[in-house]
């Protein structure tokens, strides 16, 4: 057997590229999620760690000093000291003084030199939520960047009949710039290292994955190649358990259909060869008789008596009829053999058809004084069958019955109702058929030897067998020496109420 590549390089490259791309994308997403989670973890940790820093500021700085001067303005020197002290400890924070509506009254990080510039304002909703529950992760407005939110600490105060809030951003703008810079640098380094490791890892894992994923495909390709090279029995084992079960089952069904068609074609070719041989043999006898008697009539035209001439003409006519009947049977059987006849199922009463056939065959039976009788045991339902083909089958059985029933003999037709079927039996009292020949009479052009040494029935019963096969039933025979034969077949009943 030739060696075939199970999977093409193009498919391997596509699978490999797809696999690497997926790993690369998943890696980028994983790194991004990791950085995001780490950043969130750091932010939440920082907020919880510094949750009370605003309270501590109020307790320490507002104990002996007021955030407002006597004229109601902000005590800027106090806030300058506060910012200096706190930034000396933590440069990542920004301190803001808010009134009770959320307006920013003062911060050393904001420009307050322009008295006409409107005051900035932040939402107090997250501030109040934070004061109520400092264990909750909450983001507040960034006064220096509109639309952004950051972690914070906040506390409410009341001093000299004035109230407000200390609002401390725990991740200042400078701190955020440094974090973004470091994040970009670390992200690039991590991506570079991860990509390199991923490439090495993907080569190994990708090869194993491709081998595993294409295992079922390689099995299918192997059996397809075997089938292509002539192994018509090559089938995929356990197709329903395959990863590609639909493809495996479809291939097995296709291979089965192709094998069946090939065998059927070989059978038809064999049948044609056998048919030609049989036709050549069977046509030779009547043609030889016709030719011989015609030559005799031509050579001895003036010396043949009128009675002999009439006898010769009868023999020629009989041989011609036999020849015509044989050709018609061969043509009919060949159509049945290669399934060129389409069955036309329809409901009809078998009793009516049998009475019509019996009436026609009684004329033929009178020549040998044969009595044809019919016995119908019960009221029969209609049958579902092809009326023309069934009529042809019954005629062929009666032809043989009349041919081999002796003079003054008897042929009996029995019709009875079985469960779901109508049974047909045709019995004669002829010489019968030897037991070892009973199966041969239904084979195409097999001639069984009868007990009275007469030759068999040719294609008539072979045609009957094919007709029964089209109706998915069978024809059987029971024959006993010197007691006759019984041919039987069943046809499905038709329910009129359907």
């Amino acid at each position: 057997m030739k060696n075939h590549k199970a999977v093409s390089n193009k498919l391997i490259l596509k699978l490999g590229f797809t696999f690497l791309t997926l790993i690369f994308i998943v890696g980028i997403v994983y790194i991004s999620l990791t950085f995001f989670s780490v950043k969130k973890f750091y932010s939440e940790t920082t907020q919880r760690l510094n949750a009370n820093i605003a309270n501590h500021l109020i307790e320490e700085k507002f104990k002996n000093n007021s955030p407002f001067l006597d004229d109601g303005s902000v005590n800027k020197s106090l806030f300058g000291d506060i910012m200096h002290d706190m930034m000396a400890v933590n440069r990542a924070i920004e301190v803001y003084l808010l009134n009770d509506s959320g307006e920013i009254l003062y911060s050393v990080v904001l420009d307050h030199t322009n008295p006409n510039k409107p005051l900035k304002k932040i939402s107090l909703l997250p501030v109040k939520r934070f004061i109520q529950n400092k264990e909750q992760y909450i983001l507040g407005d960034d006064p220096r960047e509109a639309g952004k939110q950051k972690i914070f600490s906040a506390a409410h105060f009341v001093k000299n009949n004035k109230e407000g809030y200390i609002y401390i951003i725990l991740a200042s703008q400078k701190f955020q710039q440094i974090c973004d810079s470091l994040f970009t640098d670390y992200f690039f380094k991590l991506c570079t290292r991860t990509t390199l490791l991923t490439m090495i890892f993907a080569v190994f894992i990708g090869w194993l994955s491709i081998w595993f994923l294409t295992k079922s495909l390689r099995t299918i390709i192997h059996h397809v190649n075997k089938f292509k090279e002539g192994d018509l029995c090559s089938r995929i084992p356990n197709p329903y358990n395959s990863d590609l079960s639909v493809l495996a089952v479809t291939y097995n069904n296709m291979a089965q259909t192709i094998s069946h068609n090939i065998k059927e074609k070989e059978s038809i070719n064999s049948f044609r060869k056998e048919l030609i041989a049989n036709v050549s043999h069977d046509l030779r006898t009547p043609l030889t008789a016709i030719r011989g008697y015609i030559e005799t009539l031509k050579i001895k035209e003036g010396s043949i008596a009128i009675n002999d001439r009439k006898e010769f003409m009868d023999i020629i006519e009989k041989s011609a009829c036999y020849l015509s009947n044989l050709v018609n049977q061969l043509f009919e059987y060949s159509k049945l053999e290669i399934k060129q006849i389409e069955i036309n199922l329809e409901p009809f009463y078998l009793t009516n058809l049998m009475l019509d056939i019996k009436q026609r065959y009684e004329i033929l039976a009178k020549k040998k004084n044969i009595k044809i009788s019919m016995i119908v045991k019960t009221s029969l339902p209609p049958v579902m069958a092809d009326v023309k083909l069934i009529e042809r089958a019954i005629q062929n059985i009666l032809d043989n019955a009349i041919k081999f029933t002796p003079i003054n003999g008897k042929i009996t037709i029995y019709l009875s109702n079985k469960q779901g079927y109508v049974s047909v039996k045709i019995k004669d009292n002829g010489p019968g058929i030897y037991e070892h020949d009973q199966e041969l009479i239904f084979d195409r052009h097999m001639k069984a030897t009868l007990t009275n040494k007469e030759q068999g029935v040719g294609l008539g019963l072979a045609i009957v067998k094919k007709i029964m096969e089209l109706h998915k039933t069978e024809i059987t025979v029971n024959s006993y020496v010197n007691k006759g034969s019984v041919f039987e077949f069943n046809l499905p009943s038709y329910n009129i109420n359907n």
Side-chain angles (χ1 to χ4, degrees), residues 223-267:
H223 286 281
V224 169
N225 286 327
K226 286 181 64 178
F227 188 86
K228 183 186 70 174
E229 292 171 358
D231 185 1
L232 300 183
C233 296
S234 179
R235 300 291 186 275
I236 298 169
N238 301 320
Y240 290 99
N241 296 329
S242 172
D243 295 334
L244 302 172
S245 58
V246 175
L247 180 59
V249 171
T250 301
Y251 163 76
N252 280 0
N253 292 338
M254 179 197 70
Q256 185 66 30
T257 301
I258 293 175
S259 299
H260 176 74
N261 291 341
I262 290 175
K263 290 179 181 179
E264 191 173 68
K265 185 176 180 181
E266 291 175 350
S267 176

Side-chain angles (χ1 to χ4, degrees), residues 78-344:
L78 175 62
F79 273 92
D81 293 338
I82 291 174
M83 197 64 183
H84 178 271
D85 293 343
M86 298 196 70
M87 289 187 65
V89 179
N90 188 353
R91 298 181 59 86
I93 66 174
E94 297 173 353
V95 183
Y96 298 88
L97 176 65
L98 309 180
N99 63 16
D100 56 0
S101 63
E103 293 179 347
I104 300 175
L105 301 179
Y106 186 76
S107 175
V108 296
V109 297
L110 296 178
D111 183 11
H112 297 283
T113 58
N114 187 359
N116 297 320
K117 187 175 182 180
L119 295 176
K120 289 189 175 182
K121 186 176 182 180
I122 66 170
S123 173
L124 288 180
L125 181 60
V127 173
K128 292 179 180 179
R129 286 174 53 205
F130 176 82
I131 293 173
Q132 291 176 358
N133 184 7
K134 295 182 180 180
E135 296 296 322
Q136 187 177 0
Y137 178 63
I138 301 174
L139 297 178
D141 294 341
D142 185 358
R144 302 182 69 181
E145 294 185 70
K148 288 191 176 182
Q149 290 188 318
K150 292 183 178 180
I151 54 175
F152 67 93
S153 174
H156 180 258
F157 70 89
V158 178
K159 195 72 173 179
N160 299 334
N161 298 324
K162 289 188 177 182
E163 62 178 310
Y165 297 89
I166 293 297
Y167 183 69
I168 302 176
I169 294 295
L170 301 175
S172 65
Q173 192 175 59
K174 184 66 175 177
F175 173 81
Q176 191 65 46
Q177 290 174 354
I178 294 174
C179 284
D180 291 342
S181 176
L182 290 175
F183 174 81
T184 303
D185 183 54
Y186 273 95
F187 186 81
F188 176 76
K189 290 180 180 179
L190 186 58
C191 283
T192 303
R193 294 169 184 172
T194 304
T195 301
L196 181 60
L197 291 175
T198 299
M199 294 293 289
I200 298 172
F201 179 75
V203 169
F204 177 72
I205 298 299
W207 181 83
L208 289 178
S209 299
I210 291 173
W211 180 87
F212 180 76
L213 290 173
T214 59
K215 184 178 179 181
S216 296
L217 181 60
R218 285 184 281 111
T219 301
I220 294 174
I221 293 174
H222 170 72
H223 286 281
V224 169
N225 286 327
K226 286 181 64 178
F227 188 86
K228 183 186 70 174
E229 292 171 358
D231 185 1
L232 300 183
C233 296
S234 179
R235 300 291 186 275
I236 298 169
N238 301 320
Y240 290 99
N241 296 329
S242 172
D243 295 334
L244 302 172
S245 58
V246 175
L247 180 59
V249 171
T250 301
Y251 163 76
N252 280 0
N253 292 338
M254 179 197 70
Q256 185 66 30
T257 301
I258 293 175
S259 299
H260 176 74
N261 291 341
I262 290 175
K263 290 179 181 179
E264 191 173 68
K265 185 176 180 181
E266 291 175 350
S267 176
I268 292 173
N269 291 335
S270 175
F271 163 73
R272 288 174 178 171
K273 293 178 182 178
E274 183 181 342
L275 186 63
I276 292 173
N278 291 335
V279 168
S280 300
H281 177 270
D282 287 345
L283 294 182
R284 187 180 297 116
T285 300
L287 287 174
T288 300
I290 292 172
R291 182 177 179 181
Y293 281 104
I294 289 177
E295 288 179 351
T296 301
L297 289 173
K298 289 176 64 178
I299 295 172
K300 300 179 180 182
E301 184 179 357
S303 61
I304 299 177
I306 295 177
N307 291 336
D308 292 337
R309 185 187 299 275
K310 185 177 182 302
E311 182 181 356
F312 287 177
M313 296 299 292
D314 289 340
I315 294 173
I316 292 173
E317 182 182 13
K318 184 177 179 181
S319 297
C321 289
Y322 173 80
L323 183 63
S324 175
N325 183 58
L326 179 61
V327 170
N328 289 334
Q329 281 190 338
L330 289 170
F331 179 71
E332 184 177 5
Y333 183 77
S334 65
K335 289 174 67 177
L336 289 168
E337 181 74 17
I338 61 178
K339 299 180 180 179
Q340 286 187 348
I341 294 179
E342 294 185 2
I343 187 170
N344 181 27

Side-chain angles (χ1 to χ4, degrees), residues 5 15 37 65 70 89 153 206 279 306 368 383 398 402-403 421 463 480:
K5 293 184 67 176
L15 289 175
S37 299
N65 298 289
D70 295 336
V89 179
S153 174
V279 168
I306 295 177
K368 297 175 67 176
V383 297
L398 288 175
I402 291 176
K403 179 179 180 180
Y421 294 91
I463 291 174
Y480 302 94

